[in-house]
Amino acid sequence: MSRSLLVVVLAFGVSCAAKPPAQPPAAPPPPAPVQAAPQAPTQPVIPDTPAGTALRAWLDVFNSGDEARMQAYGAQQGKPAFVDPGFRNATGGFELLGIEKSDRLQVQFVVKEKASPTQAVGWLKVSDGDPTKIDSLQILAIPAGLTAADMDRTLDAATRTRVIDAIVAKLTELYVFPDVAKKMEQALREHQKQGAYDAIAQSRAFAELLTEQLREVSHDKHLRIEFVPEGVP
């Protein structure tokens, strides 16, 4: 009540005072700037392909952390290692950050561990059948100072030749069965002569093909060629 009375008194006093010269009306205050509503981060779009569908299903099962569900999925795929509970607990699951490359039967993607800032690149390939099954799934952490693009570099003809020469030299020097090593060398040279590698421009695809060809000759499942983005000491 006292505040209301004070307003009345002040208003009365002004009306009784000498009337000041008329002033032009004050300009209206500028409108307050419109604040844009914060937008939620855009979620990566998983492609509607057999490979994309497989990636979506794998992420859903892996991130669930439900061991019974993970075991059932691993049995259905015939690849229990794809949903290893220990790996799930260590990473806390994965947040999908983006799709790097995609075609019908394979997809390359980037994820971040939910338990840490670590980011990784993944490669998933599926069979061309019904039902679709995952043929291979590889996830590699991106080393400090590198980017997702560094995890699968472009090759030229000179690099492909240098890689084949290095493989042949290592097989000759280290492989436990010299006669098998010689047969693998002959197979690689024949593929090279026929131009089997000419159209391969990515490091990981080249490593996978070389692994398949060497295993076809040696029947050695422990033999594997891998691309390493950092030089091996």
Side-chain angles (χ1 to χ4, degrees):
M1 184 65 183
S2 60
R3 184 179 179 187
S4 176
L5 179 60
L6 179 62
V7 172
V8 172
V9 171
L10 287 175
F12 180 78
V14 169
S15 64
C16 293
K19 196 171 183 179
Q23 297 291 330
V34 177
Q35 298 292 331
Q39 296 184 354
T42 303
Q43 295 297 316
V45 177
I46 298 178
D48 187 19
T49 61
T53 300
L55 173 61
R56 186 182 297 107
W58 174 79
L59 281 171
D60 184 49
V61 173
F62 188 80
N63 286 339
S64 74
D66 184 332
E67 290 198 19
R69 187 179 173 195
M70 293 165 70
Q71 289 174 359
Y73 179 85
Q76 182 264 330
Q77 290 289 326
K79 304 285 180 62
F82 289 169
V83 282
D84 177 61
F87 186 46
R88 164 62 177 79
N89 292 336
T91 61
F94 288 115
E95 174 190 352
L96 181 65
L97 299 182
I99 301 296
E100 294 289 297
K101 298 178 184 178
S102 173
D103 61 30
R104 184 170 173 273
L105 299 179
Q106 56 187 347
V107 59
Q108 179 181 334
F109 54 95
V110 179
V111 291
K112 187 188 82 67
E113 293 183 4
K114 292 186 177 182
S116 79
T118 300
Q119 295 187 12
V121 180
W123 296 265
L124 182 148
K125 294 176 68 175
V126 300
S127 59
D128 191 7
D130 186 17
T132 298
K133 288 192 175 183
I134 299 176
D135 277 343
S136 64
L137 173 62
Q138 187 176 26
I139 298 176
L140 295 178
I142 302 173
L146 299 183
T147 67
D150 294 323
M151 303 298 285
D152 191 8
R153 293 176 180 164
T154 302
L155 293 172
D156 56 21
T159 302
R160 288 192 295 268
T161 298
R162 187 166 66 249
V163 168
I164 292 172
D165 291 345
I167 291 172
V168 167
K170 288 297 182 183
L171 288 172
T172 302
E173 177 186 359
L174 301 173
Y175 199 68
V176 65
F177 302 114
D179 56 330
V180 178
K182 189 63 177 179
K183 290 178 181 178
M184 288 190 283
E185 175 187 0
Q186 292 170 347
L188 291 183
R189 295 303 188 193
E190 185 61 26
H191 288 305
Q192 186 179 26
K193 181 179 178 181
Q194 294 175 356
Y197 311 127
D198 293 352
I200 299 178
Q202 296 302 127
S203 299
R204 293 198 176 276
F206 190 40
E208 288 181 7
L209 179 57
L210 291 171
T211 297
E212 292 175 6
Q213 292 173 343
L214 292 174
R215 288 180 176 178
E216 286 175 0
V217 176
S218 66
H219 307 290
D220 183 352
K221 297 299 183 182
H222 297 97
L223 182 60
R224 183 177 185 84
I225 307 300
E226 290 189 352
F227 165 68
V228 180
E230 294 181 294
V232 178

